[in-house]
């Protein structure tokens, strides 16, 4: 492909400054098809079950060296796959898996993804919380926040807030709030040239000079949001040192007290050595490893970090008109769906009402009342008045939050991976319930093997499809 002349000149300077990085094959790599990858959910899949999932996928997948749950895939793997719709895996460019692996979120932490759409890194961080702590995923573009919302819901992450905000506003409202912050910063996109022709045009129109001030402002906001002793992972998909090593070196100079956390050598990832502009920072090169161009650095702020336990604080009272809906939602779960394990796993907090929607929220919602929110907590479903009575309709987000062990044996329809009823269900068609031990009437969860997909209503051997129209495959 024809690369921008300015980019080629910049790269020649970079290779001259870093003779340890092989130049041979770099330009030719832009004429090759980029590798694709999938990352298995860390909350829905354990390492010991992934081999059987790989067998179902009929893929001879090889592991991505820098991601414990990532695999390279063949180009024809479809997003129509039922495991994708169950949130079992997330399609992700292999290099983009590095930052969330590096930040290594732990249960109980409060974490922020400052530039989260479409959501691959945010989902990984939310999965690593395992239901304890809080993920705040922000996207400044409202249109892009819609894709982020869908991916978060598919992943089944309960303790999450999705914001549509400017980073400065988050810093104003939540100073010193977060244990860890991931910044996958907007950049000139040089690493994306071979994957997206628009990246070349954008580079020629804007280039690094216009994007660097935006990156600086995001970093400044992150510093305000971060606790003492907290951590930032900053990443880009560009090779430009002004946006990468230079940007972070300038940030550390203007914000004393930060240090780079060095990571062990990983195959396919180059580490900047002592004496370089930013020792300990990392790069992935398209001609050296199976991934697009990527930069990543892990920073720690000085001071002692104290983990703040997120506890439920009732923020808004449920209106009298909604109490019956909330009661019906809990009755639906306790009587129709949940096993004994599920009942024990259901947090003992009242459902929160927003309009006709019910949400499971285990944190103080007032923290975000002056910020533009797209999603707060786990969306349980809706209630409405029908013929002088209140009716509750569960959301598909609820089904995807549930694990197999949380669901009663007679309320779960487990379909084999190759069963044509799986695709028919995802298309919104009525399906049958032969050869299963389900109850004869009432609400059920439809799943592929042990992975829930959504709800249905069973009557005898017939299951009415409740899979949302907006989620159906064509």
């Amino acid at each position: 492909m024809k690369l921008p002349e300015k980019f080629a000149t910049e790269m020649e300077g970079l290779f001259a400054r870093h003779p340890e990085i092989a130049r041979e094959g770099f330009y030719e790599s832009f004429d090759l098809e980029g590798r694709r990858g999938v990352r298995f959910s860390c909350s829905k899949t354990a390492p010991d079950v992934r081999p059987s999932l790989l067998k179902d996928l009929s893929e001879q997948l090889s592991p991505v060296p820098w991601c414990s749950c990532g695999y390279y895939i063949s180009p024809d793997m479809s997003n129509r796959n039922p495991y994708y719709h169950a949130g079992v895996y997330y399609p992700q460019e292999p290099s983009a898996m590095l930052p969330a692996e590096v930040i290594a979120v732990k249960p109980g932490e409060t974490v922020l993804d400052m530039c989260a759409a479409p959501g691959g890194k945010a989902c990984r961080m939310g999965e690593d919380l395992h239901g304890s702590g809080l993920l705040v995923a922000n996207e400044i573009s409202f249109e892009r926040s819609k894709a982020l919302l869908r991916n978060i819901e598919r992943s089944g992450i309960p303790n999450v807030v999705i914001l549509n905000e400017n980073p400065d506003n988050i810093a104003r409202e939540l100073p010193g709030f977060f244990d860890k912050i991931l910044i996958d910063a907007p950049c000139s996109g040089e690493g994306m040239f071979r994957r997206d022709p628009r990246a070349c045009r954008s580079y020629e129109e804007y280039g690094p000079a216009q994007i660097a001030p935006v990156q600086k402002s995001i970093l400044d906001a992150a510093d305000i949001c971060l606790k003492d002793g907290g951590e930032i992972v900053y990443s880009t998909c560009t090779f430009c040192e002004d946006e990468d090593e230079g940007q972070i070196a300038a940030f550390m100079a203007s914000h004393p007290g930060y240090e780079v956390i060095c990571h062990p050598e990983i195959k396919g990832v180059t580490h900047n050595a002592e004496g370089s502009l930013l020792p300990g920072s990392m790069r992935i090169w398209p001609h050296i490893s199976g991934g697009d161009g990527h930069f990543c650095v892990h920073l720690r702020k000085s001071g002692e970090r104290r983990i703040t336990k997120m506890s439920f604080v009732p923020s808004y009272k449920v209106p009298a008109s909604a109490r019956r809906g909330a009661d019906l939602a809990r009755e639906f779960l306790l009587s129709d769906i949940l096993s004994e394990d599920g009942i024990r796993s259901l947090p003992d907090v009242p459902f929160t009402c927003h309009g006709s929607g019910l949400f499971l929220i285990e944190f103080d919602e007032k923290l975000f009342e002056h910020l533009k929110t797209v999603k707060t907590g786990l969306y349980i479903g809706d209630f409405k008045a029908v013929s002088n009575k209140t009716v509750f309709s569960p959301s598909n987000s609820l089904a995807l939050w549930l694990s197999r062990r949380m669901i009663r044996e007679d309320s779960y329809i487990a379909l084999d991976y190759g069963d044509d009823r799986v695709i028919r269900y995802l298309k919104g068609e009525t399906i049958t319930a032969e050869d299963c031990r389900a109850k004869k009437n009432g609400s059920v969860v439809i799943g592929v093997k042990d992975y829930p997909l959504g709800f249905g209503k069973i009557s005898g051997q017939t299951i009415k499809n409740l899979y949302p129209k907006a989620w159906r495959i064509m």
Side-chain angles (χ1 to χ4, degrees):
M1 67 179 296
K2 181 175 173 54
L3 297 168
E5 291 184 11
K6 181 181 176 182
F7 169 69
T9 301
E10 174 192 285
M11 293 309 303
E12 287 304 306
L14 189 150
F15 287 128
R17 293 189 297 274
H18 297 276
E20 74 279 6
I21 300 172
R23 177 185 180 280
E24 183 179 357
F26 175 74
Y27 297 107
E28 291 78 4
S29 71
F30 288 90
D31 293 320
L32 304 175
E33 185 174 2
R35 297 290 299 274
R36 298 177 62 193
V38 294
R39 182 189 57 73
F40 282 108
S41 168
C42 293
S43 57
K44 296 193 177 196
T45 71
D48 61 342
V49 306
R50 290 171 195 160
S52 66
L53 296 172
L54 294 173
K55 185 177 180 181
D56 282 343
L57 293 169
S58 300
E59 292 277 354
Q60 298 298 316
L61 304 190
S62 56
V64 174
W66 49 84
C67 180
S68 57
C69 51
Y71 291 82
Y72 295 108
I73 62 169
S74 61
D76 59 352
M77 190 167 171
S78 171
N79 284 352
R80 292 168 56 91
N81 192 288
Y83 283 150
Y84 166 72
H85 289 272
V88 170
Y89 70 77
Y90 182 94
Q92 192 170 23
E93 194 280 313
S95 296
M97 300 177 188
L98 179 63
E101 182 86 13
V102 166
I103 204 167
V105 166
K106 302 292 190 299
E109 293 180 329
T110 54
V111 297
L112 168 65
D113 189 339
M114 190 72 89
C115 314
K121 301 173 184 68
C123 288
R124 169 64 192 275
M125 293 197 295
E127 292 160 13
D128 285 342
L129 287 173
H130 292 288
S132 173
L134 177 66
L135 166 69
V136 177
N138 178 62
E139 175 52 49
I140 196 170
S141 163
F142 179 70
E143 284 303 311
R144 284 170 56 81
S145 72
K146 295 176 183 177
L148 172 62
L149 170 64
R150 178 68 183 92
N151 287 322
I152 290 286
E153 290 187 331
R154 187 187 296 113
S155 295
I157 301 167
N159 44 338
V160 62
V161 175
I162 298 178
L163 299 179
N164 170 219
E165 270 296 355
N166 185 298
D168 289 338
N169 293 338
I170 301 174
R172 183 192 67 235
E173 295 297 322
L174 299 170
F177 184 74
F178 294 100
D179 298 297
K180 293 178 178 177
I181 299 175
L182 190 149
I183 304 170
D184 187 41
C187 66
S188 57
E190 298 167 346
M192 298 292 291
F193 284 172
R194 69 178 178 183
R195 193 174 295 272
D196 185 357
R198 293 172 299 179
C200 277
R201 294 194 294 270
S202 178
Y203 177 89
E204 291 175 322
E205 184 175 353
Y206 301 107
Q210 292 195 38
I211 204 70
V214 177
Q215 296 166 342
K216 178 183 181 301
S217 68
I218 294 172
L219 282 162
D220 290 342
D223 173 64
I224 296 172
C225 291
L226 192 66
K227 293 177 181 177
D228 289 344
E231 300 171 22
I232 292 175
V233 165
Y234 174 89
S235 65
T236 73
C237 55
T238 184
F239 306 101
C240 177
E241 287 186 303
D242 288 346
E243 300 177 63
D244 296 338
E245 292 93 342
Q247 185 71 260
I248 297 301
F251 171 75
M252 294 175 71
S254 60
H255 298 80
Y258 279 89
E259 63 174 339
V260 175
I261 300 175
C262 296
H263 287 260
E265 294 284 338
I266 306 170
K267 183 180 179 181
V269 180
T270 62
H271 293 64
N272 284 332
E274 288 296 328
S276 64
L277 180 57
L278 191 65
S281 56
M282 297 168 278
R283 285 187 178 276
I284 297 175
W285 298 88
H287 64 306
I288 296 175
S289 58
D292 290 345
H294 217 78
F295 170 83
C296 181
V297 64
H298 192 180
L299 306 176
R300 181 188 291 119
K301 191 176 187 178
S302 61
E304 182 180 354
R305 179 160 56 109
R306 289 181 169 85
I307 300 294
T308 305
K309 184 178 180 181
M310 298 300 299
S311 57
F312 173 73
V313 179
S315 298
Y316 305 102
K317 293 181 179 179
V318 178
S321 60
R323 287 175 191 160
R324 179 56 181 156
D327 290 343
L328 286 173
R330 193 165 287 274
E331 182 181 326
F332 166 80
L333 285 167
L334 298 180
S335 302
D336 274 9
I337 300 298
L338 295 183
S339 65
E340 290 185 6
D341 274 352
I343 293 171
R344 285 193 295 268
S345 300
L346 183 66
D348 187 23
V349 298
F351 295 143
T352 298
C353 172
H354 291 301
S356 62
L358 295 169
F359 297 81
L360 179 60
I361 300 174
E362 297 183 76
F363 47 86
D364 185 359
E365 203 177 358
K366 288 184 178 178
L367 288 166
F368 307 97
E369 65 181 348
H370 298 302
L371 295 168
K372 290 181 286 186
T373 58
V374 177
K375 174 185 173 70
T376 307
L378 175 69
Y379 171 41
I380 296 294
D382 291 286
F383 64 92
K384 60 181 177 180
V386 178
S387 302
N388 296 321
K389 67 177 182 179
T390 303
V391 177
F392 170 72
S393 300
S395 75
N396 218 68
S397 303
L398 175 61
L400 291 168
W401 168 64
L402 297 172
S403 65
R404 176 64 188 89
R405 67 173 181 79
M406 294 175 68
I407 304 170
R408 282 172 35 179
E409 192 67 32
D410 66 347
S411 294
Y412 190 74
I413 308 291
L415 304 177
D416 287 337
Y417 177 75
D419 193 320
D420 66 351
R421 288 176 293 176
V422 176
I423 298 300
R424 286 169 50 207
Y425 175 75
L426 293 174
K427 288 183 175 180
E429 299 174 10
T430 298
I431 61 173
T432 57
E434 66 267 10
D435 303 324
C436 70
R437 293 179 292 176
K439 57 193 175 188
K440 298 304 179 184
N441 290 283
S443 297
V444 292
V445 177
I446 315 299
V448 52
K449 290 193 172 180
D450 286 337
Y451 305 102
L453 289 164
F455 288 105
K457 202 86 168 179
I458 192 169
S459 178
Q461 291 290 301
T462 303
I463 301 174
K464 180 183 178 181
N465 198 314
L466 299 181
Y467 199 63
K469 291 182 179 179
W471 291 22
R472 294 174 186 174
I473 62 177
M474 304 300 291

